[in-house]
Amino acid sequence: MKKSLFVLLAASALTLAACGETPASSPEGGEGQRTSRTSRTPRPSSDQGGQSTPESTPAASASALPALDGTNVFYNEGLFKGAETDSVANPGRIYYWSGDGGNISSFTKAANGDLVIEYTNVETPGEGGWGWYGCQIFYTAPYAQGGESYTIRATINSDAAGSITLNGKVISLVRGDTLIQETFVRGSEGAVASTISMQLGVNNPASTLQGYMLKIKGLEIYDAVGRYHDVQFKNGEEVVKRINVLSGKTVTAPKVTPPEGKLLQGWFDGDSAYSATAPITAAHVYVARFVEDSGSHVVTVMNGTAKIGEVKVPDGATADLSSVETPFGYKNDGFY
């Protein structure tokens, strides 16, 4: 049955029938994020459609790595507990899952940008032979398309030697730094649905990476197929958001806190105003513009009897509702 979300804008009290329940969100990082519930144990991408090969790929030396052409499309707006299906549904967010003997006690972003994973794995896989993927990480790049080629490059620092499975390929890690660079084709579904599907272990024979600390440093994801435009959103001199947008696609503006007594009038690249529905066809640097909070109107967004958003809009301005999130499992049919 098709489910649709009907939401209501009102400066006065109005009601609309609700259509279904919304699961609670559980973000681990970032602002205004949610994680959908997973009803079954996630199986690794590398096991879909066949087992991964036990052959390991040795670490590449920096001098042997070819130059990367194309656009670095890696963009991360937070770390969340979830499965591969969550990463596909919410591009730009990193999801992690642990179970079957594995445990990720902490996954954080350090001040220098390193992704720091504190984990433990059992020495012997649990019943069913799936313990090798007890710790998993999933990520889908914004605007990633099925059938396109992507190259992942990063330095992985591990406190123990062992092997990981990256998009179905076994990669050996030394104790210390290991530079990895792998190119693959992203599937529309199945074997490599996420841009990154990584397990801290290998299958056939089942084994796990035995350690306590893993750091992913300098992560880059290059796309050599699509044409992208660099889009920045700035509040004064601060870059609030910077993302490469595939030509012809739209982009969501970030949230920003106005100065005391002021309202956000909008984002402007010179005289060109940002629009949440306008396709991006060139590079932009949008700067937040504020006006005095006088003569403003409160616009309320409702889902049935539940308020899901509220924004103040300067008199005569258009309400930007791009930050109002659609409850999980529903499609936004518009604002009425």
Side-chain angles (χ1 to χ4, degrees), residues 166-178:
L166 176 64
N167 294 336
K169 187 171 185 178
V170 176
I171 297 176
S172 295
L173 301 182
V174 300
R175 182 177 180 181
D177 284 347
T178 301

Side-chain angles (χ1 to χ4, degrees), residues 10-97:
S12 59
L14 295 172
T15 58
L16 188 66
C19 49
E21 66 172 347
T22 302
S25 59
S26 56
E28 294 297 314
E31 195 173 299
Q33 316 296 332
R34 67 174 183 274
T35 301
S36 62
R37 294 178 295 185
T38 305
S39 60
R40 60 187 177 86
T41 301
R43 290 170 65 89
S45 288
S46 55
D47 183 62
Q48 294 175 0
Q51 295 181 335
S52 58
T53 171
E55 296 179 1
S56 297
T57 299
S61 65
S63 59
L65 292 179
L68 294 179
D69 295 325
T71 305
N72 180 11
V73 297
F74 176 65
Y75 169 81
N76 175 29
E77 62 180 30
L79 309 173
F80 302 85
K81 290 182 179 179
E84 182 171 28
T85 51
D86 297 302
S87 78
V88 174
N90 301 282
R93 304 176 185 178
I94 296 178
Y95 288 86
Y96 63 97
W97 180 91

Side-chain angles (χ1 to χ4, degrees), residues 41-322:
T41 301
R43 290 170 65 89
S45 288
S46 55
D47 183 62
Q48 294 175 0
Q51 295 181 335
S52 58
T53 171
E55 296 179 1
S56 297
T57 299
S61 65
S63 59
L65 292 179
L68 294 179
D69 295 325
T71 305
N72 180 11
V73 297
F74 176 65
Y75 169 81
N76 175 29
E77 62 180 30
L79 309 173
F80 302 85
K81 290 182 179 179
E84 182 171 28
T85 51
D86 297 302
S87 78
V88 174
N90 301 282
R93 304 176 185 178
I94 296 178
Y95 288 86
Y96 63 97
W97 180 91
S98 60
D100 286 356
N103 178 55
I104 296 178
S105 57
S106 174
F107 193 3
T108 58
K109 183 178 180 180
N112 63 359
D114 292 353
L115 301 173
V116 183
I117 307 162
E118 296 182 27
Y119 76 100
T120 55
N121 262 345
V122 293
E123 184 174 354
T124 304
E127 293 183 8
W130 297 113
W132 66 276
Y133 77 102
C135 298
Q136 302 182 82
I137 300 165
F138 303 107
Y139 170 85
T140 301
Y143 313 105
Q145 303 291 315
E148 291 183 346
S149 176
Y150 293 88
T151 300
I152 297 172
R153 180 156 69 184
T155 297
I156 298 184
N157 178 275
S158 176
D159 64 355
S163 297
I164 63 172
T165 305
L166 176 64
N167 294 336
K169 187 171 185 178
V170 176
I171 297 176
S172 295
L173 301 182
V174 300
R175 182 177 180 181
D177 284 347
T178 301
L179 181 62
I180 64 170
Q181 179 168 307
E182 295 293 335
T183 300
F184 67 97
V185 175
R186 180 179 184 270
S188 56
E189 58 183 52
V192 186
S194 292
T195 309
I196 292 179
S197 171
M198 186 170 82
Q199 293 80 39
L200 305 190
V202 299
N203 191 21
N204 191 25
S207 63
T208 57
L209 181 65
Q210 297 299 304
Y212 301 95
M213 183 77 71
L214 198 74
K215 296 180 182 178
I216 303 175
K217 304 187 293 185
L219 177 59
E220 297 174 303
I221 300 175
Y222 276 80
D223 168 72
V225 178
R227 180 185 178 188
Y228 289 81
H229 303 293
D230 181 26
V231 177
Q232 299 181 49
F233 293 88
K234 298 180 68 175
N235 182 12
E237 295 302 314
E238 178 191 4
V239 178
V240 184
K241 180 176 182 177
R242 185 172 188 176
I243 185 172
N244 281 298
V245 180
L246 187 63
S247 187
K249 300 294 185 178
T250 59
V251 64
T252 302
K255 295 180 180 179
V256 64
T257 302
E260 184 72 25
K262 293 184 179 292
L263 290 176
L264 176 67
Q265 181 185 20
W267 300 88
F268 295 86
D269 185 355
D271 294 328
S272 176
Y274 158 80
S275 170
T277 59
I280 299 297
T281 58
H284 288 282
V285 178
Y286 291 111
V287 179
R289 190 178 296 176
F290 303 98
V291 295
E292 295 296 327
D293 184 3
S294 59
S296 62
H297 306 281
V298 175
V299 178
T300 303
V301 185
M302 306 287 292
N303 176 30
T305 58
K307 183 172 74 174
I308 61 173
E310 184 177 281
V311 295
K312 270 189 174 183
V313 184
D315 189 58
T318 301
D320 179 8
L321 301 173
S322 59

